[in-house]
Amino acid sequence: MSSFTHFNDQGRAKMVDIVDKNETVRIAIAKSSIEVNKAIYDKITNNEIKKGDVLAVAQVAAIMAAKKTADIIPMCHPLALKGVDVSFEWIIKETDEYHLEITTEVKTKGSTGVEMEALTAASVCALTIYDMCKAVDKGMVIGPTYLLEKTGGKNGDFKREINRK
Amino acid sequence: MSSFTHFNDQGRAKMVDIVDKNETVRIAIAKSSIEVNKAIYDKITNNEIKKGDVLAVAQVAAIMAAKKTADIIPMCHPLALKGVDVSFEWIIKETDEYHLEITTEVKTKGSTGVEMEALTAASVCALTIYDMCKAVDKGMVIGPTYLLEKTGGKNGDFKREINRK
Amino acid sequence: MSSFTHFNDQGRAKMVDIVDKNETVRIAIAKSSIEVNKAIYDKITNNEIKKGDVLAVAQVAAIMAAKKTADIIPMCHPLALKGVDVSFEWIIKETDEYHLEITTEVKTKGSTGVEMEALTAASVCALTIYDMCKAVDKGMVIGPTYLLEKTGGKNGDFKREINRK
Amino acid sequence: MSSFTHFNDQGRAKMVDIVDKNETVRIAIAKSSIEVNKAIYDKITNNEIKKGDVLAVAQVAAIMAAKKTADIIPMCHPLALKGVDVSFEWIIKETDEYHLEITTEVKTKGSTGVEMEALTAASVCALTIYDMCKAVDKGMVIGPTYLLEKTGGKNGDFKREINRK
Amino acid sequence: MSSFTHFNDQGRAKMVDIVDKNETVRIAIAKSSIEVNKAIYDKITNNEIKKGDVLAVAQVAAIMAAKKTADIIPMCHPLALKGVDVSFEWIIKETDEYHLEITTEVKTKGSTGVEMEALTAASVCALTIYDMCKAVDKGMVIGPTYLLEKTGGKNGDFKREINRK
Amino acid sequence: MSSFTHFNDQGRAKMVDIVDKNETVRIAIAKSSIEVNKAIYDKITNNEIKKGDVLAVAQVAAIMAAKKTADIIPMCHPLALKGVDVSFEWIIKETDEYHLEITTEVKTKGSTGVEMEALTAASVCALTIYDMCKAVDKGMVIGPTYLLEKTGGKNGDFKREINRK
């Protein structure tokens, strides 16, 4: 007596088959952000956080996380990354809000895109900043985190419309 | 001739010393969110996403990520987690916006808190949902991601004021 | 005075050189099985196991383990997997034995085969089921675990003869 | 409009809460087995396998896998292992079958048992032997893999009845 | 017919049993060093290395490596580290040799020492510096790497005699 | 108000872009060394170390570490290794010094070299030997560790001049 259950036909977990896809250059750019209070802004920019130089550590964490993506995101295909770059920009609003904008850019030559690698790097970058500053204030807020742009692959490029955010 | 450079005195990377802190029960609750379009909302709730049952996979990813936190966040202390729970709630706004609210709760008995574990689990949960649905639409937005509550430890409890968000 | 000891000539640990092998599509299918009692069978199929939806979690674990194979099996070459699929079938014998048959299929385009990835995925799938059900009964038995089929590579295909098992 | 979905109440993935359980000494002993043909038996015992000394490598793999268990099995609690031991015994049947019996023993002092660590170590030990010998024959069969014994913890000890296997 | 082979009695791989050892505070201090040429010394101290701020990245790498020690060194027991600190000192000899001295200090409260964590952190620190500067010159030399001091544990303290090096 | 900070232009952490580099065969050979006392030399060569067969375990550790290099060294590109070999030679000096020379050779077909993989394998090999023998004597010294030779890649080959060491 056999009761067959092929869950994948029912929509369960599967790493989709990309064995026939071509290897092309693929680039993805993601953004995240973390809002901090004035005390944290001052300490980061004056390098007075006890755990260390916050942005330097966060950059390393972001790059290492990009490489760990397939280990963290269950259905992600492993990819040999060819370049990862992380940059920061402070946006200080009149209303005394301090936003650190994070931009990650990931490149590979492979048969699937690197959107998840760029998004994971941006998220881990923000989480690392939270970790290093949380002794000062636990009220920091992370996000929005989103894909800004991707190029390469047969499905065409993606570019986020500016008026959406 | 010696030119001494003890970077830690200059505020560089350091895993802070907690050897004298007591082991107590510590709980942290974090929140994240992902905004999806109607097509994705329909496919998730009808279990029609090609990569699998989205929320089931995201829950597993969140729990495994909580355990990997000290490997992902550079200055985090390793902690033996004693419990991790992840739950979801759909918030559907009149304006046709579909938000999936993610709540993670992490417990340990240790000498430092589990805020980072809860925040990492919530972030990876959202990233996994993005990964599984990105073939439908790459415009999903993750966040805000923040700490809702923490208890345990000598520095007192933290509870996010509701009117802040 | 020098006493040379090149252990590899004596048959010690070595990751064999495959730098001259061609990259071709390679597929491997492996099988494992776990025998459970009626109480566990009922709880799995009714989704009443306290730790969660057993088969959904086991599928995710299997796919993630396939990606970790080169980290787990010492002499395995790292490979960029291109697809992983896991399926289940219940075999219920008249004698009141409940066997959950696990089948894993792994694909890559590379210079060595993916037998170990398929076998590791199948084993971890069974171990995860054990973990999630062990509060009910610790007497579950895993196996036999074996390679069913492999294609690709210069050494020819392998297909298990049915009368052997 | 809110449609609440707390999957855990529906039986989905959760790392169960053990924060109130006592730390006690816990020991688990697991068994696995791999059946090989005469050619492989001869090569292993004469140390003629090209990839290295098979049993020495398999022992290291088993011990390292025991430490990775919480990273491999999704709902497993991380545990600080206090000892891991692996041993082998050849069972050669008259019918020309060569079985290598694997026994793993794992110890910890913690708030949950080490059954999964012992079972994972035994499984990875067998998989490593498969990997190192598969160039000779791919027809090897792994298993049965099962828990032989566990002690420690409030739920009482477990000892496998001999007549079951 | 059975031919018993308990390799551990023959001196093979085993994670030694420490289940009965007391948990005490343990500290280890290790040293490593990397010799670089003038061009690299100038670029590091002027922060002109293309891959980034060399010492900041190396510090992060060292701290993360300390946490990975039990995953890298096969027979090492996993330990919950309570503090890791890394510092640098340039020793410039008259003979135009530029040595960067690396000191790592690791603390835990556990049933075995943290010598391997301190040594692994120091080694990875030096390797990271090599990686970041190797585009300038591949002739850098790492070492000597050694344990300077350890305290805690029933076997007594260790302090390296100065005249030995 | 925006205060832009692109740290990479200031020399901070970045994984350099190799997306346009050709895939060629690349080989790197590294050396390390560990100096032990007579008691340890005797125990290793007589296989009397309690933790196991020292050189067999160290070889496995070295090969596994080569595969982990991109996870350990922050700015390293992930590479699919095609072969790793580790060998040992005892150099016993008249002055009663026992040096175990370690040589690692790593091969890949990729767009960047494997110097870091060979150096990491050699370092971890030495660290593993230290770990397995430290119960006998903690005064062992590791190093010098250096690159002996590399071939492949557009920047030309590297061969260490003998009179330098």
Side-chain angles (χ1 to χ4, degrees):
Chain A
M1 190 174 103
S2 158
S3 119
F4 188 79
T5 322
H6 189 166
F7 281 98
N8 309 56
D9 294 341
Q10 302 175 355
R12 289 250 177 111
K14 178 182 178 176
M15 189 202 277
V16 296
D17 187 348
I18 56 167
V19 85
D20 294 326
K21 291 176 77 178
N22 287 330
E23 299 227 329
T24 57
V25 173
R26 309 199 181 227
I27 301 173
I29 302 173
K31 300 277 258 180
S32 189
S33 174
I34 184 164
E35 183 192 345
V36 304
N37 65 18
K38 186 174 189 329
I40 290 178
Y41 171 76
D42 287 345
K43 280 180 190 288
I44 290 177
T45 51
N46 294 327
N47 206 4
E48 289 170 353
I49 291 289
K50 195 178 165 193
K51 279 193 175 187
D53 177 348
V54 174
L55 303 191
V57 176
Q59 260 176 322
V60 177
I63 290 167
M64 295 184 86
K67 293 191 276 185
K68 277 190 234 284
T69 303
D71 195 43
I72 296 173
I73 310 296
M75 301 303 135
C76 247
H77 295 85
L79 283 172
L81 303 187
K82 301 291 187 183
V84 184
D85 203 349
V86 181
S87 58
F88 297 107
E89 185 177 5
W90 281 105
I91 307 288
I92 303 161
K93 305 208 172 145
E94 296 176 44
T95 53
D96 207 40
E97 289 176 7
Y98 298 80
H99 291 265
L100 181 65
E101 299 287 324
I102 300 159
T103 307
T104 54
E105 181 178 2
V106 179
K107 286 190 190 178
T108 196
K109 195 177 207 166
S111 44
T112 188
V114 282
E115 297 95 295
M116 293 318 301
E117 282 75 9
L119 286 163
T120 300
S123 300
V124 168
C125 192
L127 288 166
T128 300
I129 292 166
Y130 187 100
D131 175 49
M132 297 189 76
C133 302
K134 71 181 194 290
V136 181
D137 173 37
K138 289 181 173 56
M140 290 168 280
V141 178
I142 293 170
T145 305
Y146 56 89
L147 184 69
L148 183 70
E149 198 179 322
K150 82 159 264 243
T151 56
K154 68 167 186 182
N155 293 321
D157 297 346
F158 170 87
K159 188 147 196 168
R160 192 170 185 78
E161 300 156 38
I162 289 169
N163 61 350
R164 176 159 180 170
K165 189 190 148 184
Chain B
M1 190 175 100
S2 159
S3 118
F4 187 80
T5 321
H6 189 165
F7 281 98
N8 309 55
D9 294 341
Q10 302 176 356
R12 289 252 175 109
K14 178 182 177 175
M15 189 202 278
V16 296
D17 186 347
I18 57 167
V19 85
D20 294 326
K21 291 176 76 178
N22 287 329
E23 301 227 327
T24 58
V25 173
R26 311 203 181 224
I27 302 173
I29 302 174
K31 299 279 258 180
S32 189
S33 175
I34 184 165
E35 184 193 344
V36 304
N37 66 16
K38 187 174 188 329
I40 290 178
Y41 170 75
D42 287 345
K43 280 181 190 288
I44 290 177
T45 50
N46 294 327
N47 206 3
E48 288 170 353
I49 291 290
K50 194 179 166 193
K51 278 194 175 186
D53 178 347
V54 174
L55 303 190
V57 176
Q59 260 176 323
V60 178
I63 291 167
M64 294 183 86
K67 293 190 277 185
K68 277 189 234 284
T69 302
D71 195 43
I72 296 174
I73 309 296
M75 301 303 136
C76 245
H77 296 84
L79 282 172
L81 304 187
K82 302 289 187 183
V84 183
D85 203 349
V86 182
S87 58
F88 298 107
E89 185 176 5
W90 281 106
I91 307 288
I92 303 160
K93 304 204 174 149
E94 295 176 46
T95 54
D96 208 39
E97 289 176 7
Y98 298 80
H99 291 265
L100 182 64
E101 300 288 324
I102 299 159
T103 307
T104 55
E105 181 178 3
V106 179
K107 286 189 192 178
T108 197
K109 195 177 207 165
S111 44
T112 188
V114 283
E115 298 95 296
M116 292 320 300
E117 283 74 8
L119 285 163
T120 300
S123 300
V124 168
C125 193
L127 288 166
T128 301
I129 292 166
Y130 188 99
D131 175 49
M132 297 188 77
C133 302
K134 70 180 194 291
V136 181
D137 173 38
K138 288 180 175 54
M140 289 167 280
V141 178
I142 292 170
T145 305
Y146 56 89
L147 184 69
L148 183 70
E149 197 178 324
K150 83 159 262 241
T151 57
K154 67 167 186 182
N155 294 319
D157 298 345
F158 170 86
K159 187 146 196 168
R160 192 171 186 78
E161 301 156 37
I162 288 169
N163 62 350
R164 174 158 182 170
K165 190 191 150 183
Chain C
M1 191 175 100
S2 158
S3 121
F4 188 79
T5 321
H6 189 165
F7 281 98
N8 309 57
D9 294 341
Q10 302 175 354
R12 288 250 175 112
K14 179 182 178 174
M15 190 201 278
V16 296
D17 187 347
I18 57 167
V19 85
D20 294 326
K21 291 175 77 178
N22 286 330
E23 300 228 328
T24 58
V25 173
R26 311 203 180 223
I27 302 173
I29 302 173
K31 299 278 261 181
S32 189
S33 175
I34 184 165
E35 184 193 342
V36 304
N37 66 17
K38 187 174 189 329
I40 290 178
Y41 171 76
D42 287 345
K43 280 180 191 289
I44 291 178
T45 51
N46 294 327
N47 206 4
E48 288 170 353
I49 291 290
K50 196 178 164 192
K51 279 194 174 184
D53 176 349
V54 175
L55 303 191
V57 177
Q59 261 176 322
V60 177
I63 291 167
M64 295 183 87
K67 293 191 276 185
K68 278 190 232 284
T69 303
D71 195 43
I72 296 173
I73 309 296
M75 301 302 135
C76 245
H77 296 84
L79 283 172
L81 303 188
K82 301 289 188 184
V84 183
D85 203 350
V86 181
S87 59
F88 297 108
E89 185 177 5
W90 282 105
I91 307 288
I92 303 161
K93 304 205 172 148
E94 294 177 47
T95 53
D96 209 39
E97 290 176 6
Y98 298 79
H99 291 265
L100 182 65
E101 300 287 324
I102 300 159
T103 307
T104 54
E105 182 178 2
V106 179
K107 286 190 191 177
T108 197
K109 195 177 206 166
S111 44
T112 187
V114 283
E115 297 95 297
M116 292 319 300
E117 283 74 8
L119 285 163
T120 300
S123 299
V124 168
C125 192
L127 288 167
T128 300
I129 292 166
Y130 188 98
D131 175 49
M132 297 188 77
C133 302
K134 71 181 193 291
V136 181
D137 173 38
K138 289 181 173 53
M140 289 168 280
V141 178
I142 293 171
T145 305
Y146 55 89
L147 184 69
L148 185 70
E149 199 179 321
K150 81 159 263 241
T151 57
K154 68 167 185 184
N155 293 320
D157 297 346
F158 170 86
K159 186 144 196 172
R160 193 172 185 76
E161 302 157 37
I162 290 170
N163 62 349
R164 175 160 181 173
K165 187 190 152 185
Chain D
M1 190 175 99
S2 159
S3 119
F4 187 79
T5 322
H6 189 165
F7 281 98
N8 309 56
D9 294 340
Q10 301 175 355
R12 288 249 176 113
K14 179 181 178 175
M15 189 201 277
V16 295
D17 186 347
I18 57 166
V19 86
D20 294 327
K21 291 174 77 178
N22 287 330
E23 300 226 328
T24 58
V25 173
R26 312 205 180 221
I27 302 172
I29 302 173
K31 300 278 260 181
S32 189
S33 176
I34 184 164
E35 183 193 344
V36 305
N37 65 18
K38 188 174 188 329
I40 290 178
Y41 171 76
D42 287 344
K43 280 180 191 288
I44 291 177
T45 50
N46 295 326
N47 206 4
E48 288 170 352
I49 292 288
K50 196 179 164 192
K51 279 194 175 185
D53 176 346
V54 174
L55 303 191
V57 177
Q59 260 176 323
V60 177
I63 291 167
M64 295 183 86
K67 293 191 275 185
K68 277 190 233 284
T69 303
D71 195 43
I72 296 173
I73 309 295
M75 300 304 134
C76 246
H77 296 84
L79 283 172
L81 303 187
K82 301 289 187 183
V84 184
D85 203 350
V86 182
S87 59
F88 297 107
E89 185 178 5
W90 283 105
I91 308 287
I92 302 161
K93 304 205 173 148
E94 295 175 46
T95 53
D96 208 40
E97 290 176 7
Y98 298 80
H99 291 265
L100 182 65
E101 299 287 325
I102 299 159
T103 307
T104 55
E105 182 178 1
V106 179
K107 286 190 191 177
T108 196
K109 196 177 206 165
S111 44
T112 187
V114 283
E115 298 95 295
M116 293 318 302
E117 283 74 8
L119 285 163
T120 299
S123 299
V124 168
C125 192
L127 288 166
T128 300
I129 292 166
Y130 188 99
D131 175 50
M132 297 189 76
C133 301
K134 71 181 194 290
V136 180
D137 173 37
K138 288 181 174 54
M140 288 167 280
V141 178
I142 293 170
T145 306
Y146 56 89
L147 183 69
L148 183 70
E149 199 178 322
K150 83 160 262 238
T151 57
K154 68 167 186 184
N155 293 320
D157 298 346
F158 170 86
K159 187 145 195 169
R160 193 172 185 77
E161 302 157 36
I162 290 170
N163 62 350
R164 175 159 181 171
K165 185 189 152 185
Chain E
M1 191 176 102
S2 159
S3 120
F4 188 79
T5 323
H6 189 165
F7 280 98
N8 309 55
D9 294 340
Q10 301 175 355
R12 289 251 175 111
K14 178 182 178 175
M15 189 202 276
V16 295
D17 187 347
I18 57 167
V19 86
D20 294 326
K21 291 175 78 179
N22 287 330
E23 301 227 326
T24 59
V25 173
R26 310 199 180 228
I27 302 173
I29 301 173
K31 299 278 258 179
S32 189
S33 174
I34 184 164
E35 183 193 345
V36 305
N37 66 18
K38 188 176 188 327
I40 290 177
Y41 170 76
D42 287 344
K43 280 180 190 288
I44 290 177
T45 51
N46 294 326
N47 206 4
E48 288 170 352
I49 291 289
K50 196 179 164 193
K51 280 193 174 186
D53 177 348
V54 174
L55 303 191
V57 176
Q59 260 176 323
V60 178
I63 290 167
M64 295 184 86
K67 293 191 276 185
K68 278 190 233 283
T69 303
D71 195 43
I72 295 173
I73 309 297
M75 300 303 135
C76 245
H77 295 85
L79 282 173
L81 303 188
K82 302 289 187 184
V84 183
D85 203 350
V86 181
S87 59
F88 298 108
E89 185 177 5
W90 282 105
I91 307 288
I92 303 161
K93 305 205 171 146
E94 295 177 46
T95 53
D96 207 40
E97 289 177 8
Y98 298 81
H99 291 266
L100 182 64
E101 300 287 323
I102 300 159
T103 308
T104 55
E105 181 178 2
V106 179
K107 285 190 191 177
T108 196
K109 196 177 208 165
S111 43
T112 189
V114 282
E115 297 95 294
M116 293 319 301
E117 284 74 8
L119 286 163
T120 300
S123 300
V124 168
C125 193
L127 288 166
T128 300
I129 292 165
Y130 188 99
D131 175 49
M132 297 189 76
C133 302
K134 71 181 195 289
V136 181
D137 173 37
K138 288 180 174 52
M140 290 167 278
V141 178
I142 293 170
T145 305
Y146 56 89
L147 183 69
L148 184 69
E149 197 179 323
K150 83 160 262 242
T151 56
K154 66 167 187 183
N155 294 320
D157 297 347
F158 170 87
K159 188 146 196 168
R160 193 171 186 78
E161 302 157 36
I162 288 168
N163 62 350
R164 175 160 182 170
K165 190 191 146 184
Chain F
M1 191 176 101
S2 158
S3 119
F4 188 80
T5 321
H6 189 165
F7 281 98
N8 309 55
D9 294 340
Q10 301 175 355
R12 289 251 175 110
K14 178 182 178 173
M15 189 203 276
V16 296
D17 187 347
I18 57 167
V19 85
D20 294 326
K21 290 176 76 177
N22 287 330
E23 301 227 328
T24 58
V25 172
R26 311 203 179 222
I27 301 172
I29 301 173
K31 299 279 259 180
S32 189
S33 174
I34 184 164
E35 183 192 345
V36 304
N37 65 17
K38 187 175 188 326
I40 290 178
Y41 170 75
D42 287 345
K43 280 181 190 288
I44 290 178
T45 51
N46 294 326
N47 206 3
E48 289 169 353
I49 291 289
K50 195 178 164 194
K51 278 193 173 184
D53 176 349
V54 174
L55 303 190
V57 176
Q59 260 176 322
V60 177
I63 291 167
M64 295 184 86
K67 293 191 276 185
K68 278 190 233 285
T69 302
D71 196 43
I72 296 173
I73 309 297
M75 300 304 135
C76 245
H77 296 84
L79 282 172
L81 304 187
K82 303 289 188 185
V84 183
D85 203 349
V86 181
S87 58
F88 297 107
E89 185 177 6
W90 282 105
I91 308 288
I92 303 161
K93 305 207 172 144
E94 296 176 46
T95 53
D96 207 39
E97 289 176 7
Y98 298 80
H99 291 265
L100 182 65
E101 300 287 325
I102 300 159
T103 307
T104 54
E105 181 178 3
V106 179
K107 287 190 190 178
T108 197
K109 195 179 207 164
S111 43
T112 188
V114 283
E115 297 94 298
M116 293 318 301
E117 283 75 7
L119 285 163
T120 301
S123 300
V124 168
C125 192
L127 288 166
T128 300
I129 292 166
Y130 187 99
D131 175 50
M132 296 188 77
C133 302
K134 72 180 193 290
V136 181
D137 172 38
K138 290 182 173 52
M140 291 167 278
V141 178
I142 293 171
T145 305
Y146 56 88
L147 184 69
L148 184 70
E149 197 178 323
K150 84 160 262 243
T151 57
K154 66 167 186 183
N155 294 321
D157 297 346
F158 170 85
K159 187 146 195 168
R160 193 171 185 77
E161 301 156 36
I162 288 169
N163 62 349
R164 174 160 181 170
K165 188 192 149 182

